[in-house]
């Protein structure tokens, strides 16, 4: 928007100077007329070569900031702007496809975790429980609502205290009673460049 205003300010100033020169000269002049024509052509080329591409880039930034990957940039007929628009639109399509793929993959993993007979708990970066499956809730004997957002060492029950004592990458066998013996592992995975832990 600023570039457009600056362009129109320069254009009006140049054209006003040309017209003022013609009026001051007092009669029709081919020289002043040709200078006016050259100025108009130069301003049109400047608009198409600088203002339009910068507007295209700004519109692209607005779309990225809103994270609305359904919008696309229109081509304008100006080669530089059209090249930017085509490149941006290709990038948006790839981002949308990647986001959809990640969402589908996460949904599939959630379904697998929930359906698994193996107890699984995933922790956030602060070591608090962020996700558990039904098997983990049954094994620990603590309601899911009581677990979420809490550290294992703050939860009641022998299983929670045994799991809280596991070192990173460690494993142990926990005997709850004569018929319930569990092999427990504390592992980790990378998410957005950060290490998150989970227990099986």
């Amino acid at each position: 928007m600023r570039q457009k205003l600056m362009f129109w300010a320069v254009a009006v100033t140049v054209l006003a100077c040309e017209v003022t020169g013609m009026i001051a000269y007092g009669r029709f002049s081919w020289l002043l007329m040709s200078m006016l024509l050259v100025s108009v052509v130069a301003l049109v080329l400047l608009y198409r070569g600088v203002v339009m591409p910068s507007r295209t880039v700004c519109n692209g930034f607005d779309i990225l900031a809103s994270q609305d990957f359904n919008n696309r940039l229109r081509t304008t007929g100006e080669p530089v702007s059209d090249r930017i628009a085509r490149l941006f639109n290709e990038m948006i399509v790839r981002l949308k496809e990647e986001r959809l793929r990640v969402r589908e993959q996460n949904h599939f993993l959630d379904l697998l975790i929930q359906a698994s007979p193996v107890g699984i708990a995933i922790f956030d970066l602060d070591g608090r429980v962020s996700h558990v499956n039904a098997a983990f809730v049954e094994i620990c004997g603590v309601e899911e609502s009581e677990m979420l957002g809490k550290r294992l060492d703050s939860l009641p029950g022998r299983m929670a205290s045994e799991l809280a004592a596991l070192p990173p990458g460690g494993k142990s066998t926990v005997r709850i009673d004569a018929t319930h013996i569990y092999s427990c592992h504390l592992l980790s995975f990378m998410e957005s460049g950060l290490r998150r832990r989970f227990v099986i």
Side-chain angles (χ1 to χ4, degrees):
M1 190 64 167
R2 243 168 85 186
Q3 292 93 341
K4 192 174 180 182
L5 289 173
M6 286 172 62
F7 169 79
W8 286 115
V10 170
V12 167
T13 304
V14 168
L15 293 175
C17 289
E18 294 285 339
V19 171
T20 303
M22 287 178 76
I23 292 170
Y25 193 67
R27 62 187 176 85
F28 181 79
S29 167
W30 284 109
L31 178 62
L32 289 174
M33 194 63 185
S34 60
M35 285 176 60
L36 179 63
L37 185 61
V38 167
S39 297
V40 169
V41 170
L43 288 170
V44 168
L45 292 175
L46 179 68
Y47 182 81
R48 289 175 60 86
V50 177
V51 177
M52 286 176 73
S54 67
R55 283 180 61 198
T56 302
V57 169
C58 289
N59 290 340
F61 284 149
D62 291 341
I63 290 172
L64 284 176
S66 68
Q67 295 190 1
D68 182 6
F69 297 145
N70 294 318
N71 284 332
R72 302 288 182 272
L73 293 178
R74 283 189 322 229
T75 55
T76 60
E78 200 285 314
V80 176
S81 291
D82 289 353
R83 187 171 174 208
I84 292 170
R86 280 193 298 273
L87 182 65
F88 179 84
N89 291 340
E90 287 173 16
M91 183 184 69
I92 286 292
V93 167
R94 287 191 194 128
L95 280 172
K96 185 178 180 181
E97 288 171 355
E98 182 65 20
R99 178 179 268 195
L100 183 62
R101 187 186 67 78
V102 168
R103 190 178 295 145
E104 288 171 348
Q105 192 175 42
N106 286 342
H107 181 64
F108 176 66
L109 288 174
D110 284 343
L111 290 175
L112 280 180
I113 289 170
Q114 286 302 327
S116 173
V118 176
I120 300 171
I122 302 171
F123 305 101
D124 63 17
L125 299 175
D126 296 323
R128 293 182 174 85
V129 177
S130 65
H131 190 82
V132 292
N133 67 352
F136 189 84
V137 170
E138 185 180 334
I139 290 166
C140 285
V142 180
E143 290 295 323
E144 181 178 350
S145 57
E146 293 178 40
M147 284 191 207
L148 295 178
K150 296 192 177 129
R151 293 178 175 275
L152 283 177
D153 54 10
S154 68
L155 296 175
R158 181 160 179 233
M159 179 58 83
S161 61
E162 291 281 349
L163 293 174
L166 278 173
K171 60 182 179 177
S172 72
T173 301
V174 180
R175 180 187 293 270
I176 302 298
D177 54 42
T179 58
H180 294 89
I181 302 169
Y182 299 98
S183 176
C184 305
H185 302 266
L186 181 60
L187 305 168
S188 63
F189 65 97
M190 298 299 289
E191 182 182 53
S192 303
L194 299 170
R195 189 174 297 280
R196 286 186 63 179
R197 293 178 181 169
F198 68 102
V199 69
I200 294 181

